[in-house]
Amino acid sequence: MKRDQLIERVKAEMPERRWLHTEGVMAAAVVLAERFGEDAERAELAAILHDVAKYWPVDRMELIISEQHLPGDLLAYDKELWHAPVGAWVAQHEFGVTDNEVLDAIRYHTSGRSGMSKLEKIVWLADYIEPGRDFPGVDRIRELSAKNLEESMLAAFDNTIAFLIAKGKRIYPLTIDARNDLIQHIKGG
């Protein structure tokens, strides 16, 4: 599918304000890919599709998680996590994406995970720092992202985890794993 066709189909799945967010993620992903030596086209493709299922009804996402044998533990956590693995499934089965790294970048753009590829990290961070985001700490993380991918991600994970704790929310295990993996990577062992 051509880029313009893909954009039109994905844009139809979300309200205008979410499409503006997606455009911001696309732009940030391209900048980060160029900065850190990743394929900008693949980063942009994952960014275009990352929120394709974000505004789907919860019961539709739940059905896909159950019927397609996506990680069942997701159902015990915040519904905000669900659209990422559902989106990866949609990208593969409805949009014909076959690049496993692109699919993983979509799949883990909310939770992260241990052993993230550079592409996954770029899309995860682009979603976090895109220009439309405005929350405490985001400017500092944008500054860090100009220098170091992993250190900016660690700061973002710390920010997210602190927010979830303050709200009394459960933290998805893959998020903890992603943070721990980054610490190990940064400390060199």
Side-chain angles (χ1 to χ4, degrees):
M1 178 177 304
K2 292 185 178 181
R3 182 181 181 275
D4 291 344
Q5 293 172 309
L6 178 66
I7 286 173
E8 286 308 311
R9 284 195 50 202
V10 172
K11 191 175 181 181
E13 296 288 338
M14 58 188 66
E16 181 63 22
R17 67 181 172 79
R18 181 49 58 164
W19 179 251
L20 293 175
H21 160 76
T22 299
E23 288 180 321
V25 177
M26 290 162 58
V30 168
V31 167
L32 291 170
E34 290 171 350
R35 181 176 296 152
F36 296 112
E38 183 53 74
D39 184 308
E41 284 185 30
R42 292 171 71 221
E44 185 185 54
L45 175 60
I48 290 168
L49 287 161
H50 85 283
D51 275 350
V52 67
K54 175 91 174 171
Y55 288 90
W56 285 16
V58 170
D59 58 342
R60 184 176 180 191
M61 287 191 284
E62 187 173 14
L63 188 64
I64 289 173
I65 290 168
S66 298
E67 286 184 352
Q68 302 305 321
H69 309 290
L70 302 181
D73 66 334
L74 279 166
L75 299 175
Y77 289 88
D78 195 322
K79 291 170 183 61
E80 287 295 313
L81 293 170
W82 297 6
H83 74 279
V86 171
W89 185 87
V90 170
Q92 182 176 12
H93 294 91
E94 294 185 19
F95 291 91
V97 175
T98 58
D99 184 327
N100 286 327
E101 260 193 272
V102 169
L103 294 170
D104 283 343
I106 299 165
R107 183 176 291 115
Y108 298 109
H109 84 268
T110 55
S111 64
R113 68 171 176 159
S114 178
M116 292 172 80
S117 70
K118 190 185 294 184
L119 181 64
E120 289 174 69
K121 291 175 181 179
I122 285 167
V123 173
W124 188 93
L125 187 60
D127 185 38
Y128 200 88
I129 65 168
E130 65 91 2
R133 297 283 199 195
D134 183 23
F135 53 84
V138 72
D139 288 332
R140 179 176 150 266
I141 295 164
R142 285 184 184 118
E143 289 172 15
L144 286 170
S145 75
K147 301 172 197 145
N148 188 293
L149 181 60
E150 286 78 17
E151 288 182 13
S152 57
M153 287 185 68
L154 180 58
F157 274 113
D158 287 351
N159 203 34
T160 297
I161 291 168
F163 173 81
L164 292 171
I165 289 169
K167 294 288 184 186
K169 297 224 177 206
R170 296 175 68 201
I171 301 168
Y172 194 55
L174 289 183
T175 301
I176 300 295
D177 292 346
R179 181 184 181 275
N180 289 342
D181 189 56
L182 284 168
I183 290 171
Q184 187 172 4
H185 177 78
I186 290 167
K187 293 188 176 186

